[in-house]
Amino acid sequence: MASGTALRIYAGPRARAHLQREGLRPQDIAVVPGAAGGPKGLVLGPLDRFLFGEWLPRSSQPVHLVGASIGAWRMATACLDDAVPAFERLERDYIAQDYELEAGRKTPTAKHVSERFAANLADFYGDRIAQVLAHPRYRLHVVTSRGRHLLGREHRVGTPLGYLGAYLSNTVHRRALGLWLERVVFSTGPAEEAFALPFDSADFTTRQVRLTETNFQPALQASCSIPFVLQAIHDIPGAPRGAYWDGGITDYHLHLDYAARHPDGLVLYPHFQKAVVPGWLDKAWRWRHGATPFLDTTIVLAPDPEWIRKLPNGKLPDRTDFTRYGTDLLSRMQAWHAAADASRQLADEFAQWLERPDPARVEAL
């Protein structure tokens, strides 16, 4: 479908210097983030299959996988023994998702979406959770947002008021969002290793919890639970009591201080755009979309905007497509399949660039 160059490569200053000196090898990678963004993540499927199925297995160092929302689902899938067919299934299942509408409603209820999603997650991972937790190389970090004060429990009145307070606080300063929500990260890793996050967390109120077989599904579902679209997950085992929502609220694109924790390793970030937006509530504040020193060691792989305009509807798949297509499931599935199929060009171009790295292709992040 799409012709011309599909892939753009962006890098922070330290990452660009590394690429100019040495190119890029799988052993250079310390962290792979996976952003929130719902259906937009479908265009990253071929890159995921290449990175985790072919390229990273050529190295042996531990790699931290940090994910929020669909990014958490993607990163957890990378930890399965047969990652490539698992990624293929994730793509099929995500494209085929369908929800029943009650009479008079244009959108499904949050209760219905949550119940269906919980069942899908249970079926997807089944008895394979131990594979995720015990992966010999990958350390998974699932990002969630835990409510405080009015947002401590989901309530039909308190929750909208709490999110209004969060929105207004965030307009003043991102750290003020911490009055309403805190970042809680559920992490894997061998018991003998230092239990540390792959980023410095001084930027925002943060807790870390061990990811276990008991809390795996509720933590992953919480990371994907968009407020008002899905219900919050309450009182996750092993974690502080409270309501947990989508990790993208606090960390939409995981604009985290990786450089402080991994000054000599690189962050390889398959993303659906150049900008790494800090929190979901920052989407409208474009002055918060620029790169900071947090991303000095980060390489972003993103689709070219001109290539995106050649996709169905001239855009990436997104949640507005549920409204656009309504009950016409087949048409939505066709559009999403077309976008996912076209995105194989992203993986092909990256593989070609790795064979003959051209520093001129690398743009400033």
Side-chain angles (χ1 to χ4, degrees):
M1 167 185 281
S3 60
T5 300
L7 180 69
R8 300 279 285 271
I9 304 173
Y10 306 96
R14 285 156 61 186
R16 289 183 79 190
H18 178 101
L19 296 178
Q20 289 171 348
R21 291 192 315 267
E22 305 176 40
L24 186 63
R25 305 164 299 173
Q27 58 264 38
D28 298 329
I29 306 306
V31 183
V32 179
K40 296 184 184 74
L42 288 170
V43 300
L44 303 176
L47 274 170
D48 287 340
R49 295 193 289 272
F50 170 71
L51 291 176
F52 294 105
E54 298 182 41
W55 192 64
L56 281 174
R58 300 173 193 170
S59 59
S60 59
Q61 81 284 5
V63 180
H64 293 271
L65 311 183
V66 186
S69 200
I70 191 174
W73 192 356
R74 290 170 47 223
M75 295 301 101
T77 300
C79 297
L80 292 172
D81 289 349
D82 296 316
V84 170
F87 276 123
E88 291 170 345
R89 178 181 170 182
L90 189 160
E91 181 178 294
R92 292 194 304 271
D93 288 0
Y94 198 95
I95 290 174
Q97 65 182 300
D98 189 29
Y99 303 100
E100 299 167 8
L101 298 180
E102 294 182 356
R105 289 185 60 97
K106 294 184 178 180
T107 58
T109 65
K111 182 176 185 292
H112 173 61
V113 178
S114 292
E115 289 173 348
R116 183 70 62 85
F117 185 58
N120 290 342
L121 279 183
D123 185 57
F124 186 88
Y125 289 100
D127 59 359
R128 300 186 294 173
I129 295 173
Q131 296 176 18
V132 177
L133 303 181
H135 195 281
R137 293 184 57 201
Y138 300 150
R139 312 294 182 251
L140 176 65
H141 305 273
V142 175
V143 180
T144 67
S145 303
R146 174 179 175 263
R148 305 179 66 196
H149 308 304
L150 274 178
L151 294 178
R153 313 298 293 183
E154 190 167 27
H155 186 272
R156 64 184 183 87
V157 176
T159 299
L161 288 175
Y163 274 107
L164 175 60
Y167 175 82
L168 294 174
S169 298
N170 188 68
T171 62
V172 176
H173 196 282
R174 172 164 160 74
R175 287 188 68 92
L177 178 64
L179 297 171
W180 302 94
L181 294 153
E182 65 179 4
R183 174 194 294 145
V184 180
V185 185
F186 293 81
S187 302
T188 67
E192 65 273 13
E193 285 188 5
F195 192 54
L197 292 168
F199 53 87
D200 187 279
S201 59
D203 65 311
F204 198 81
T205 305
T206 304
R207 297 176 188 253
Q208 188 181 25
V209 175
R210 178 74 67 178
L211 191 62
T212 67
E213 291 215 33
T214 303
N215 64 25
F216 174 82
Q217 174 147 336
L220 187 57
Q221 181 164 347
S223 187
C224 298
S225 292
I226 304 166
F228 312 113
V229 177
L230 289 89
Q231 293 176 320
I233 302 297
H234 288 84
D235 305 333
I236 297 177
R241 289 176 57 82
Y244 289 76
W245 279 280
D246 197 303
I249 305 170
T250 55
D251 296 285
Y252 189 40
H253 293 163
L254 304 165
H255 193 128
L256 303 168
D257 193 358
Y258 308 104
R261 288 287 173 87
H262 293 280
D264 300 319
L266 297 179
V267 179
L268 184 61
Y269 196 167
H271 195 19
F272 41 78
Q273 62 183 46
K274 175 184 178 181
V276 182
V277 181
W280 190 83
L281 297 174
D282 297 318
K283 288 197 294 182
W285 313 131
R286 301 192 72 84
W287 60 88
R288 295 185 183 177
H289 295 191
T292 71
F294 286 10
L295 306 179
D296 280 358
T297 57
T298 296
I299 302 164
V300 170
L301 309 177
D304 186 283
E306 287 298 321
W307 178 85
I308 291 174
R309 280 189 270 274
K310 298 171 185 175
L311 297 177
N313 304 309
K315 65 177 186 60
L316 298 173
D318 61 38
R319 287 198 302 115
T320 67
D321 290 334
F322 286 108
T323 303
R324 177 191 297 268
Y325 291 102
T327 57
D328 188 358
L329 174 62
L330 180 60
S331 293
R332 175 174 60 77
M333 289 180 62
Q334 288 175 338
W336 285 10
H337 272 301
D341 290 344
S343 64
R344 293 173 186 166
Q345 188 177 353
L346 298 170
D348 291 343
E349 289 184 12
F350 184 55
Q352 292 163 9
W353 185 87
L354 288 169
E355 291 295 323
R356 301 185 65 180
D358 178 7
R361 285 278 311 274
V362 183
E363 304 171 61
L365 182 58

